[in-house]
Structure formats: structure tokens, C-alpha cells
Amino acid sequence: MVGCNFKGMAETGSFADRVKQQADIVRVIGEYVRLKKSGQNFTGLCPFHGEKTPSFAVHPVKQIFHCFGCGKGGDVFSFVMEMEKCPFPDAVRIVAEKCGIPVPSPKERTPEERKENQQRAALIEIHRGAQAFFVRQLESTAEGRAARAYLEDRGLNAETIARFGIGYAASGGDVLLRQLKPKYAEKLLVESGVISRDQSGARLFDRFRRRITFPIANESGKIVAFGCRALGDDLPKYLNSPETPIYSKSNVLYHMDRAKEPIRRQDFAILVEGYMDAIAVARAGIGNVVASCGTSLAEPQIKLLGRFTKRVIVNYDPDVAGQAATERSLTLLLEHDFEVRVLALPAIGDQKADPDLFIREKGAEAYIKLLKEAPPYVDYLIARARQMDLSTGEGKQRALNFLMPYVQRIPNRLLRSEWATRIAQQLRIDEPVLRAALNKSATERRSEVKVAPQLVGKPAKQIERRLIRMLAEAEGFKRELAQRLQHGRLYEGLETEKVFAALIVAGLSDEPIPATEIGAQLDERERRVFFEILFEDAQEPTWEEAESCLDALRRRQIEQELAKVQKTIEANPSGAGLRELLERKQELMKQLTAAGQPG
Ligand SMILES: [Zn+2]
């Protein structure tokens, strides 16, 4: 959303806060998940992980959701952010719209922002106009009809041409310019990238001439650039829009606007090189395909993709440039924790096959079959290394040098070791030698590889669970409870110490702090424990119960100190300071008696 003024948190009195108060989480989530009432909660099949029995719960009173399977949880906004893969302000707007709460029009804060927004809006409008114009050219001019024949020759029928908005830029040199000039300032037209200025600066002309045009949309479906292919032998064969205020090629993936839903649903994406490839694959009924529209993938593109899935099949062209691009992209994808497979299409006759050619020649079925069999990237790399000359020691070293950087990037140690064995076997390299090389490079690695966080902690003890629940919900005495816990430092050293710390801060604050905000301050593992406790069926807590829980914690504290003192006494037979230690022991024993027996 352009120029949106929502903040990242639901501040009291903010629009987000109002939406949260008025929104019904059951109704909003119910639009995505079939929910059934179960006790005081609603349950259903978790949309974030595959399951057959419901472990996903929504709490209508606390207005939170939690999955006992995968651990995802939060409030209505975090649910929508996760489902729609959108930022917070968009989630607020979506929830507001679903609940019929009027959304205030976004306000720009400064005159510069207003100017920028106006400029962006005008640039998008120019692209919309140019798109309509290119489509008309393809349909209704003699030149356009020739272009159309060429497309049909490549197997693109009228339905596909319409579906992907394919158009034609005429050869005249100022055909589009004449359309746009009456409506927009020259400066803006040049900024849009569809119009160029000659070197003298005096004359404007159409950037794209005698070319097939492919509109490139941003993630939300707005056309922000064009990719154009020469009709004849004109060079360059492909010419794309330059970088503009609304388009940066490293930020956009072709077909992402339509692919994001199938990608999310199937939890993997197919990555191809060009728009013709993406169109060919999408036409074959495989919607989860995107194109990088350049020889290699850029980091922002990977981050964009990573919002929808962490699994990708790379299917770049089999030529040298394509191989190099595949290998560069692999490096980046692995660094971003993607699970990568590589599809290298077999040649057709003596022609190397890109996805477009392969599907035209062999059909969608054959492509889908290969897609399913696509090997993990390490197998692909080993196959590449085996093409090198392995008959000499030098050759083997080269092959090893080629493979090693990728193997190092495997985050999982066991997996890394498994691959080392395979590489040793396949390249006939002495395994200890290879392992030594791997270990050496592992210690030299700049950044330590992240290990997936252990999400499932030890279940918290019953006393901790009860106290956490009281701290979160016992309106009558939670402040008193927080003070007692804080004063006696009774929660220190508990498994759930961090949950207590966050709840105590919240309990002592003058304003009520919702559970989701407390959860947001916790690590994933702790938030999970916290939410599970909130969803437990439990009876109303009483102050008596709270006190008995506090007593138990106090006893635990004393017992721990007592054990420590005892240990010091035993480890110190010389008797130095023994008197003090024994006195302390006596004192602790007395306290323990006063704290009562567990019961
Ligand atoms: Zn789940």
C-alpha cells in the first residue's frame, strides 16, 4: 500500500488497534479454515502445515490462534500476514475490509512523499496505457498481425496471448509516444522507461520498436515494466525496461503475481530464466512458476520468493550461461536456507532444451515427469563435476574445488557428512582427504550455519503453567502476583523464566497488555509454550492457589541454596568459614520448615 501511515504495532488508539478490537478472529480465520466449535475454542485443520486431524485452535475470547502441531500462533493480524504473506499494514487493511470497518485513505506525511506517490501513480498509469496500446497493436495492425503469426508459430494461441497480455511495439519509432505525449510531461515519459531520449536530448522516441511485448507485473499485479523480444534478427534479442522509480529488476520475479497462491499451496516454486519459459510452464498447467528475467537471481528476488516457500526447483537453460546462472543462484539460495533441486532438461536431438522448447516438443506430461524426478542440487553438482577430467590428481582437485563451496553451505552437519561420502565415492577421492578439506573449509567459513531452532521445549511443570495462566489472566490479583514473584526472584532458573519475565513486566505495567504482544517479545519456543498454556482448559484461579504455588517456588529456591551450601561444606574439609556455612544451613532449614511442606 503506497504511503500507508499504519505503524508496525497496534498502538492504543491507532486504526490497527480499533480494527483489532472490532474484528472477530473466528470470522476472519473462518474464511480460510473450516472451524468447528470445540469447548470454548474453535478447531480446524492447520493451514500452515499438512495434517489430517485438527491441531489448530482459535480462541474467541482471547482473540488468538495457535497450532499445537507446527507451533504457529498469534493474533488476527499475524494470521493474515502469514496467510497472505503481506506486511502488517496490508493485514490491517484486509482484516478491516473483511469486517466491514471503513479504511481511512492513506495520508502522506510530507510534501515529498505526496510528490513521490503521485509520480508512482502516474508511472503505473503510463504502463497501463502502454499495455493497452501494445495489445491493440498486436490485434489491429498489419505489422502486429505478422507478429501474431510468429507467436502462433511458436505455439502461443489466442487464449495464451490474452492471458499473458502479450502485445506488440511497432517499428515506427514514435507510435507510442504520439499516444502518450498529449497526456504526460516529457520528463515523466522518459522516467517511465517506455520512452527514450536521444543523445542530443532534443528528441524523444519509443524505447521498444518491432518487438513482442510481455508486461512485467509486480507482486500485487500492477504492470511496472516490459520485457520485449525482437521479432526479427534485431539485436539485442531481449530488451527490457530500465530501472525506474517503480521497477528494479532485482526486486521483481516475472509471473509472481499469479504464482504466489499456487506456490503457497504446493509449498514449492519452479524457477526458470525467461518469460517465454515461465509462460510455457504455466500453460502446461503448472502455475507455481516464476522467472528471474536475467541470467542470475538477485538477493531481493530470493527474499521475495522466500516469503512464499523455501523449496525451489531451478530449471535454467542448459547452455553455459544457464549453467553458470544455475550455480550462482544455488549459492544464494543455499545461503538463504532453501531446499533446492535442479532440473537439467535432456537435449532434443542435438538441440539443448530450455523449458519452452522442451514442452513444445515433448509435451507437458514429459516435463512434469522430469520435474518430479528432479534431483537434489548436490546430485546435479556431482554430475557436473564428473564431466571434468578426473583421470589426474589435478583434475580431481579442480572437481573438488568446484564442489566444496556448495557442500559447505549445507546447514545440516549430518547431511553434509553424508554428501562428503557420496562425493568421495563418485569422484573416487580418498574419503579422509575429502573430510579433512571439508573440515578445514568449515572452520574457515565466515558465518556459522544456522541450525533450525528446536521448537519443542520440555513441557513446563504444572506449577509454572498455573502461575503463567494467572499472570496472564487473573485480573483481580495478577499485579500482586507479579510483585511477589519479582520481589522474591522466585522465577529465576525456571524452564519458563523468560515467559515469567515478560509477564511480570506486563503485569506491573499500568496499561493492559494483550497476550499477543507479550508473545511477540518471546522467542518462538517460549511463545509456543505460552500459547499452549493459554489454550488449556482450566478452572478459575484463586489467590489461595496462587499462594500455594508461590510457596512451592520458594521451597524450590531454598532447597537449591541448601544443596549449594551443603556442597560447599563437603568440598571444604579444612573448615575455613565452616561456621558461617553451618549457620546459613541452619537458617535455610528453618525457612524451609516455615515455607511448609508440599501438599
Ligand atoms: Zn500447524
Side-chain angles (χ1 to χ4, degrees), residues 46 49 67 70:
C46 177
H49 83 280
C67 173
C70 66

PDB file of all heavy atoms in Angstrom, residues 46 49 67 70, ligand 1:
ATOM      1  N   CYS A  46      -4.871 -27.189  10.373  1.00  0.00           N
ATOM      2  CA  CYS A  46      -3.922 -26.073  10.290  1.00  0.00           C
ATOM      3  C   CYS A  46      -3.591 -25.740   8.832  1.00  0.00           C
ATOM      4  O   CYS A  46      -3.249 -26.627   8.059  1.00  0.00           O
ATOM      5  CB  CYS A  46      -2.646 -26.434  11.032  1.00  0.00           C
ATOM      6  SG  CYS A  46      -1.399 -25.142  10.915  1.00  0.00           S
ATOM      7  N   HIS A  49       0.554 -26.195   8.016  1.00  0.00           N
ATOM      8  CA  HIS A  49       1.275 -27.450   7.832  1.00  0.00           C
ATOM      9  C   HIS A  49       0.256 -28.529   7.482  1.00  0.00           C
ATOM     10  O   HIS A  49      -0.922 -28.417   7.831  1.00  0.00           O
ATOM     11  CB  HIS A  49       2.099 -27.804   9.087  1.00  0.00           C
ATOM     12  CG  HIS A  49       1.335 -28.482  10.181  1.00  0.00           C
ATOM     13  ND1 HIS A  49       0.533 -27.808  11.083  1.00  0.00           N
ATOM     14  CD2 HIS A  49       1.230 -29.790  10.505  1.00  0.00           C
ATOM     15  CE1 HIS A  49      -0.005 -28.659  11.930  1.00  0.00           C
ATOM     16  NE2 HIS A  49       0.395 -29.874  11.604  1.00  0.00           N
ATOM     17  N   CYS A  67      -1.358 -23.266  16.746  1.00  0.00           N
ATOM     18  CA  CYS A  67      -1.330 -24.626  16.214  1.00  0.00           C
ATOM     19  C   CYS A  67      -0.452 -25.482  17.108  1.00  0.00           C
ATOM     20  O   CYS A  67       0.724 -25.178  17.290  1.00  0.00           O
ATOM     21  CB  CYS A  67      -0.813 -24.650  14.781  1.00  0.00           C
ATOM     22  SG  CYS A  67      -0.599 -26.346  14.197  1.00  0.00           S
ATOM     23  N   CYS A  70       2.447 -27.336  14.451  1.00  0.00           N
ATOM     24  CA  CYS A  70       3.643 -26.656  13.955  1.00  0.00           C
ATOM     25  C   CYS A  70       4.046 -25.478  14.828  1.00  0.00           C
ATOM     26  O   CYS A  70       5.110 -24.897  14.638  1.00  0.00           O
ATOM     27  CB  CYS A  70       3.439 -26.199  12.516  1.00  0.00           C
ATOM     28  SG  CYS A  70       2.176 -24.924  12.311  1.00  0.00           S
TER      29      CYS A  70
HETATM   30 ZN    ZN B   1       0.211 -26.039  12.131  1.00  0.00          ZN
END
